[in-house]
Amino acid sequence: MTLKLDQIDYRILEELQRDASQSQRALSEKVGLSQNACWRRLKALDAAGVIRNHTVVLDRNQLGAGLVVFVMIKTRHHSASWLKRFRTHVSSIADVIDFFRIGGEYDYLLKIITRDMASYDEVYKRLIEEVELETVTSYFAMEAIEEQRPIPM
């Protein structure tokens, strides 16, 4: 289903990215719609797949998951069967929170969040145990300057 978005839809999406827990009444007031009109637009955005899910942003440091690692991967394998096995394997590792196939010198980029270096080492060992990889390069974040920012409208 394709949905043509207008300025009110974008305002709804901006508000939801700021606070998805706000009441429908508060949201409708902020975007200048009646509650019913706002509800209909929300349902249309959901049905069109513009809104994929409703989540909360957690403070990873308070949860003891303070280490952020960006992993760059090169492979010599590019067959459909290898890719399927690789995707399934990486997706099964809970510490991998973002997983991209990229262009350039590397083939894949993973964002891993875990407790500490020992925990990352366990993730690394698990990552390399199932599929052959040519190069695995890890970059460790020292500070999150901006993280999980809203998508600009």
Side-chain angles (χ1 to χ4, degrees):
M1 175 181 195
T2 303
L3 180 67
K4 184 168 170 61
L5 303 179
D6 63 18
Q7 285 303 104
I8 294 174
D9 293 319
Y10 286 119
R11 286 175 50 208
I12 289 170
L13 294 171
E14 285 175 338
E15 285 299 325
L16 289 175
Q17 285 187 99
R18 280 189 199 100
D19 182 6
S21 70
Q22 62 186 299
S23 70
Q24 191 174 325
R25 175 178 295 193
L27 178 61
S28 64
E29 288 173 3
K30 287 179 183 174
V31 300
L33 290 176
S34 70
Q35 279 186 264
N36 285 339
C38 188
W39 180 84
R40 284 191 298 273
R41 284 180 180 255
L42 283 171
K43 289 297 168 199
L45 291 165
D46 267 328
V50 174
I51 298 173
R52 290 193 332 201
N53 56 30
H54 305 264
T55 64
V56 297
V57 177
L58 303 175
D59 185 322
R60 60 183 168 69
N61 290 312
Q62 292 206 31
L63 297 170
L67 183 62
V68 178
V69 185
F70 297 94
V71 177
M72 308 292 290
I73 296 173
K74 286 184 193 178
T75 180
R76 282 180 245 121
H77 306 280
H78 298 281
S79 70
S81 63
W82 183 91
L83 178 57
K84 182 179 180 183
R85 211 170 88 242
F86 179 64
R87 286 182 175 190
T88 300
H89 175 61
V90 172
S91 296
S92 74
I93 303 171
D95 297 72
V96 176
I97 64 159
D98 290 312
F99 178 21
F100 298 94
R101 187 169 57 88
I102 59 175
E105 186 178 345
Y106 290 90
D107 298 306
Y108 299 94
L109 168 66
L110 283 57
K111 182 178 180 183
I112 295 171
I113 294 185
T114 192
R115 291 183 312 279
D116 52 27
M117 191 60 70
S119 298
Y120 171 65
D121 190 42
E122 291 302 315
V123 173
Y124 173 81
K125 289 173 185 172
R126 185 164 174 215
L127 178 64
I128 64 171
E129 75 185 357
E130 291 290 320
V131 290
E132 182 184 346
L133 303 172
E134 183 175 340
T135 304
V136 178
T137 304
S138 301
Y139 297 93
F140 303 94
M142 296 186 308
E143 175 186 15
I145 296 169
E146 292 283 352
E147 191 172 31
Q148 297 179 312
R149 294 175 64 182
I151 296 172
M153 297 290 138

